[in-house]
């Protein structure tokens, strides 16, 4: 899917900066999709354990949680929040062996994805910088030509 989207972006007839923007939007889309799937998996693992051992940090002071009895939107938002925190490799509270294994594996995967995203951003920035350098060279050449011909 990512390859097809990349091919589509490369084939459209727009400027390089617009293509770079589309590529950045593609990165953001896949990042949001990954965090969504990761959050759903985390909640599935936490819900499957009995008794429910996962206590979100906001409920940690109370020694218990009502997240599993709350509304679906609360469950989803809390899980996605912890997924984003796991992606950033912070605020990870695993309270069971399954959660610890999942968090460890996902922490490593998230570190690799983060490195990949920063690499892609660096490539996009280099592409934009390369275009700016070429433009500046053309502008300098034009100025030198005008100066040599004494047109100014």
């Amino acid at each position: 899917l990512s390859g097809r989207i990349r091919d589509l972006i490369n084939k459209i007839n727009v400027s390089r900066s617009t293509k770079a923007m589309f590529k950045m939007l593609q990165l953001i889309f896949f990042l949001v999709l990954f965090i969504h799937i990761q959050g759903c998996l985390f909640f599935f693992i936490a819900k499957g354990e009995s008794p429910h051992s996962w206590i979100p940090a906001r409920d940690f002071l109370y020694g218990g949680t009502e997240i599993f009895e709350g509304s679906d939107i609360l469950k989803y938002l809390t899980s996605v929040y912890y997924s984003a925190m796991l992606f950033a490799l912070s605020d990870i509270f695993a309270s069971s062996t399954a959660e610890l294994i999942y968090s460890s594996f996902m922490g490593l995967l998230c570190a690799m994805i983060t490195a990949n995203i920063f690499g892609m951003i660096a490539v996009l920035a280099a592409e934009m910088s390369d275009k700016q350098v070429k433009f500046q060279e053309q502008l300098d050449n034009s100025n030198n030509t005008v100066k040599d011909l004494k047109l100014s």
Side-chain angles (χ1 to χ4, degrees), residues 109-130:
L109 182 63
C110 289
M112 288 186 281
I113 290 173
T114 301
N116 188 15
I117 287 174
F118 281 124
M120 289 180 180
I121 290 172
V123 167
L124 289 174
E127 284 179 8
M128 297 306 295
S129 173
D130 187 40

Side-chain angles (χ1 to χ4, degrees), residues 124-141:
L124 289 174
E127 284 179 8
M128 297 306 295
S129 173
D130 187 40
K131 181 181 177 187
Q132 184 67 28
V133 167
K134 287 180 182 177
F135 175 74
Q136 189 62 43
E137 286 175 0
Q138 289 177 343
L139 189 60
D140 290 342
N141 289 338

Side-chain angles (χ1 to χ4, degrees), residues 39-104:
C40 291
L41 284 171
F42 187 76
F43 187 79
F44 178 74
I45 289 170
K47 185 179 178 185
E49 298 178 1
S50 60
H52 299 304
S53 61
W54 178 51
I55 301 174
R58 67 185 184 96
D59 295 336
F60 206 72
L61 295 174
Y62 308 117
T65 186
E66 292 159 7
I67 186 85
F68 299 101
E69 290 80 30
S71 68
D72 288 340
I73 192 72
L74 177 67
K75 293 175 191 174
Y76 177 75
L77 291 176
T78 303
S79 297
V80 167
Y81 169 78
Y82 279 96
S83 175
M85 290 298 103
L86 182 60
F87 191 83
L89 298 175
S90 67
D91 206 12
I92 303 168
F93 294 103
S95 53
S96 71
T97 304
E99 291 173 22
L100 182 64
I101 292 169
Y102 177 79
S103 296
S104 299

Side-chain angles (χ1 to χ4, degrees), residues 30-46:
F30 281 117
L31 179 62
V32 169
L33 181 65
F34 177 78
I35 288 175
H36 162 77
I37 291 170
Q38 182 181 355
C40 291
L41 284 171
F42 187 76
F43 187 79
F44 178 74
I45 289 170

